[in-house]
Amino acid sequence: MNETTKKESRQMDMLHGKIFKNMLIVALPLAACSIMQQLFNSVGVAVVGRFAGSEALAAVGSNGAVINLLVTLFSGISLGSNVIIAGYIGEGNQQKIPSVVHTAVTLALISGILLLLLGQIISHPILLLMGAPKDVLHLATVYLRIYFLGMPFMMLYDFGASILRSIGDTKRPLLALIVSGVVNVILNFLLVAGFHMDVAGAGIATVVANGVSALLVILFLLHEEEPIRVSFKKLEINTSELIRILKIGVPAGLQGMVFSVANVCIQSSINSFGSKAIAGSSTALNFEYITYFIVNAFAQTTVTFTSQNYSGKMYDRCKKVFREAMLASMIFCGILSMVFILGRNFFIGLYTTDPDVIHYAMIRLVIITSLELLTSTYEISGAALRGMGHSMTPAALTVFGSCVLRLIWIATAIRIWHNYTLLIWIYPISWVLTGTMVLTAYFLTRNKLFNQ
């Protein structure tokens, strides 16, 4: 196979052929990409927990909601570039794609630098606002400030990977994460276990690993065929394409950002139960992320497939994309969730031997992970809406159904009954409400658009 054929083979034909098979080819590497990243991060967390103690583990775990709060806005915007490029492919209008690509990469650089600077300023105040326990506040601040040094790398990877995924290439982003993950694990053992640098070592390992993944993705794009090849000389901000990217990406990013606001509030409630609850919750969260990545992978695949087929006016294929993505998402997520539930003693034991930490981790793992497949109802339907150019509707409904309800729950039920288990139950309750609303919006919008 010559070089040209290899490059052409990375571009998937989403407009013809079997949808389910092609979706699996795109979604499974994408899921593996996220899961691999989380597994490597989990090894880092486990190293901290084993070699630096429960306070250091709590310090790292207490930062998750804060990091997501500031990162999700820009990561959501990267989705906009995916939708726009996929739409141009569906229309057969490839001459406009290079401008979108270079605008996206420029936007990644700018947003990454802004996040780096912002993170240094707000790390300590926001942890104070969240009520981080005094015994972990200093360590948590150190970790968060170091973590934000890698924001330009994270943004370049997110936007670069989004560009590659718009043509159906999910294998090379996975390769980049595998390499960076190995680097992360090696550095965690070296800096935390070897040199006893505690949370600072974990933070440095993460920054270096993010730099490796960003470098690899950019190298892929520099040597890619047109129309998605990147040239530093062509970096620009095309105003019209930027507006289109933001129109799709900002609502998705704001949805994730508001989600994170709600999760910050939940994290604040978890903090009130002490460092053992924080460490236990962050331990269970690792498995929760992995099951959710399955759903998210099929959602991102739904966006790209829907965008190409909708732009090509292939409405029956759009319907089939939705049905098969929903089914696959629930099945794969459900199977993986059961693996974690049945093996919960083993999996939690990988992170900690503290019985109090294990107690809190068990509660969260059993309640949330066993019902994680319910997130498919709003993630897949919301992704289909975004693929059809309707990004604000799923964002608004998800913010109301999940975020607002969670804040109300914290302000009422948890204030009256200060109970950890009751706090955790808000997740599946909000998923049912949100899924019902976004599914309804999808069917109403689809009927309107397809019958015009």
Side-chain angles (χ1 to χ4, degrees), residues 389-400:
H390 290 257
S391 188
M392 185 59 73
T393 300
L397 292 176
T398 303
V399 166
F400 175 78

Side-chain angles (χ1 to χ4, degrees), residues 20 40 53 56 61 87 89 123 133 158 168 214 216 231 241 250 255 260 305 318 330 332 352 364 416 419 445:
F20 187 76
F40 285 130
I89 293 173
S123 292
D158 281 346
L216 289 174
S231 170
E241 297 297 354
V250 168
Q255 172 186 318
S260 295
F305 272 73
C318 289
M330 286 193 162
F332 281 96
T352 181
R364 176 157 190 155
I416 298 171
N419 182 276
T445 303

Side-chain angles (χ1 to χ4, degrees), residues 1-10:
M1 183 181 289
N2 60 39
E3 188 66 21
T4 302
T5 304
K6 287 180 181 178
K7 288 177 179 177
E8 288 177 350
S9 67
R10 296 181 187 125

Side-chain angles (χ1 to χ4, degrees), residues 263-284:
N263 288 337
V264 165
C265 294
I266 292 177
Q267 183 64 51
S268 297
S269 294
I270 292 173
N271 290 350
S272 69
F273 292 93
S275 60
K276 302 292 187 182
I278 297 172
S281 178
S282 63
T283 296

Side-chain angles (χ1 to χ4, degrees), residues 233-413:
K233 296 179 181 179
K234 296 181 181 179
L235 291 180
E236 62 170 348
I237 292 291
N238 182 298
T239 305
S240 61
E241 297 297 354
L242 177 62
I243 291 172
R244 294 194 68 199
I245 291 173
L246 296 179
K247 184 178 178 182
I248 298 293
V250 168
L254 287 175
Q255 172 186 318
M257 195 173 181
V258 176
F259 248 127
S260 295
V261 169
N263 288 337
V264 165
C265 294
I266 292 177
Q267 183 64 51
S268 297
S269 294
I270 292 173
N271 290 350
S272 69
F273 292 93
S275 60
K276 302 292 187 182
I278 297 172
S281 178
S282 63
T283 296
L285 192 61
N286 288 292
F287 307 108
E288 183 181 326
Y289 280 145
I290 292 173
T291 54
Y292 172 74
F293 289 148
I294 297 289
V295 177
N296 185 254
F298 281 101
Q300 291 191 48
T301 303
T302 300
V303 169
T304 307
F305 272 73
T306 302
S307 181
Q308 286 202 24
N309 284 280
Y310 180 72
S311 297
K313 301 186 185 301
M314 299 182 179
Y315 300 144
D316 286 339
R317 284 181 66 85
C318 289
K319 294 178 181 178
K320 194 171 183 181
V321 166
F322 171 78
R323 290 196 304 269
E324 297 191 0
M326 183 70 75
L327 180 63
S329 176
M330 286 193 162
I331 290 175
F332 281 96
C333 178
I335 291 173
L336 187 57
S337 295
M338 284 303 100
V339 171
F340 288 138
I341 295 298
L342 295 176
R344 58 189 180 275
N345 291 314
F346 167 76
F347 289 114
I348 293 176
L350 293 174
Y351 291 86
T352 181
T353 56
D354 188 316
D356 292 328
V357 174
I358 291 173
H359 168 72
Y360 285 108
M362 285 286 189
I363 293 173
R364 176 157 190 155
L365 185 109
V366 171
I367 294 175
I368 295 182
T369 306
S370 62
L371 298 172
E372 189 74 46
L373 80 170
L374 293 176
T375 60
S376 301
T377 56
Y378 65 83
E379 289 289 353
I380 301 299
S381 51
L385 283 167
R386 291 189 180 93
M388 295 185 290
H390 290 257
S391 188
M392 185 59 73
T393 300
L397 292 176
T398 303
V399 166
F400 175 78
S402 291
C403 306
V404 174
L405 180 61
R406 290 176 187 179
L407 294 177
I408 293 173
W409 189 266
I410 293 169
T412 55

Side-chain angles (χ1 to χ4, degrees), residues 79-204:
L79 179 65
S81 59
N82 182 309
V83 173
I84 301 305
I85 294 171
Y88 281 143
I89 293 173
E91 295 172 1
N93 192 4
Q94 296 200 4
Q95 65 269 24
K96 290 188 177 183
I97 294 177
S99 183
V100 181
V101 169
H102 290 94
T103 297
V105 173
T106 305
L107 185 60
L109 282 169
I110 294 172
S111 60
I113 293 171
L114 288 175
L115 279 173
L116 184 156
L117 297 173
L118 183 63
Q120 305 311 307
I121 297 170
I122 70 168
S123 292
H124 187 71
I126 199 168
L127 286 169
L128 279 174
L129 185 63
M130 289 175 60
K134 292 182 179 180
D135 57 346
V136 301
L137 180 59
H138 172 69
L139 291 176
T141 302
V142 169
Y143 179 81
L144 193 56
R145 284 178 173 160
I146 295 174
Y147 190 97
F148 272 104
L149 294 177
M151 284 299 106
F153 301 138
M154 289 189 67
M155 294 301 100
L156 280 172
Y157 175 82
D158 281 346
F159 278 80
S162 183
I163 292 168
L164 291 172
R165 289 164 187 157
S166 68
I167 63 169
D169 182 3
T170 55
K171 294 179 181 178
R172 285 185 293 173
L174 172 60
L175 174 63
L177 280 185
I178 290 174
V179 174
S180 68
V182 171
V183 171
N184 194 6
V185 170
I186 293 173
L187 286 178
N188 264 291
F189 275 104
L190 180 65
L191 299 178
V192 178
F195 291 104
H196 307 290
M197 295 178 66
D198 296 342
V199 297
I204 293 170

